[in-house]
């Protein structure tokens, strides 16, 4: 499975997330309503995700298994006005994205396992790495958001991603892929 690449495959939205993440949705709505720039919005949304980070049971047991050939994305919420969406991503060991950047701000919280992130400059020089563990939240906004995420561990990783767009309309959060 090493080197498996995330494709534009996501499940259709399941409607509003039930339970404890209703507060997260309301908090993200509030932050977006502040109309801050993208970098500040990512910081503020990250603060809210830290406060309301759910567990991996936000996904059904079937969804938590992932897919054998690629990371599996599950749309958990798409805001009706298109301002944000929330996805659960499941990464089996060895699965990875390609190096890419984004069309909007993004915030990620790890719910299970660990995700390894490689960050790159505009010339695709590796400028940093980070191992994100359960409970860790990070956010970023273009420009300067070129990265790749991999599951380098031995168990399935699950993360919650909040994007500043409706992923069901755009099909992907990636703006460009790099070789």
């Amino acid at each position: 499975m090493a080197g498996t690449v995330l494709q534009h495959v996501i499940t259709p939205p399941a409607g509003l997330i039930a339970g404890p993440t209703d507060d997260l949705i309301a908090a993200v709505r509030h932050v977006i309503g502040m109309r801050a720039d993208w970098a500040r919005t990512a910081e503020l949304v990250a603060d809210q995700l830290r406060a309301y980070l759910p567990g991996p049971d936000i996904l059904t047991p079937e969804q938590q298994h992932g897919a054998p050939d690629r990371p599996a994305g599950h749309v958990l919420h798409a805001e009706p006005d298109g301002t944000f969406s929330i996805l659960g991503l499941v990464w089996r060991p060895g699965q990875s994205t390609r190096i890419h950047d984004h069309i909007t701000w993004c915030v990620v919280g790890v719910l299970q396992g660990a995700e390894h992130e490689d960050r790159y400059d505009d010339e695709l020089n590796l400028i940093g790495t980070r191992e994100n563990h359960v409970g860790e939240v990070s956010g970023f906004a273009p420009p300067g958001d070129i990265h790749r995420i991999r599951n380098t561990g031995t168990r399935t990783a699950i993360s919650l991603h909040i994007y500043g767009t409706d992923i069901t309309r755009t099909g992907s959060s990636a703006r460009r892929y790099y070789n």
Side-chain angles (χ1 to χ4, degrees):
M1 280 191 270
T4 302
V5 176
L6 177 66
Q7 301 295 318
H8 300 293
V9 178
I10 53 178
T11 58
L16 288 175
I17 303 168
T21 57
D22 289 342
D23 290 336
L24 173 61
I25 292 168
V28 173
R29 282 181 185 142
H30 174 74
V31 165
I32 289 172
M34 297 170 67
R35 306 237 183 256
D37 65 44
W38 278 3
R40 182 69 180 138
T41 298
E43 291 173 14
L44 294 169
V45 170
D47 289 343
Q48 298 309 312
L49 185 54
R50 282 183 198 95
Y52 298 107
L53 190 66
D57 60 347
I58 194 79
L59 298 177
T60 67
E62 181 179 311
Q63 290 172 327
Q64 290 179 35
H65 287 299
D69 59 339
R70 58 173 166 56
H74 305 282
V75 178
L76 302 174
H77 177 81
E79 191 68 1
D81 67 2
T83 53
F84 72 96
S85 53
I86 302 174
L87 281 76
L89 286 168
V90 181
W91 312 76
R92 288 187 178 183
Q95 292 180 334
S96 175
T97 65
R98 293 168 50 194
I99 299 171
H100 65 282
D101 60 6
H102 292 267
I103 59 174
T104 186
W105 57 265
C106 176
V107 173
V108 178
V110 178
L111 310 181
Q112 176 181 294
E115 292 180 352
H116 178 89
E117 180 181 23
D118 296 319
R119 306 256 343 202
Y120 299 88
D121 66 15
D122 291 340
E123 296 177 3
L124 298 184
N125 298 305
L126 183 65
I127 57 172
T129 62
R130 179 176 166 163
E131 197 77 21
N132 299 301
H133 298 277
V134 173
E136 292 187 87
V137 174
S138 61
F140 53 82
D145 63 321
I146 302 171
H147 73 155
R148 172 178 57 187
I149 298 175
R150 298 181 282 155
N151 180 352
T152 58
T154 59
R155 70 181 288 217
T156 299
I158 298 175
S159 53
L160 196 69
H161 295 230
I162 304 175
Y163 297 107
T165 189
D166 179 350
I167 202 75
T168 66
R169 295 178 191 178
T170 61
S172 173
S173 67
R175 181 168 65 121
R176 291 179 295 209
Y177 291 101
Y178 301 88
N179 292 327

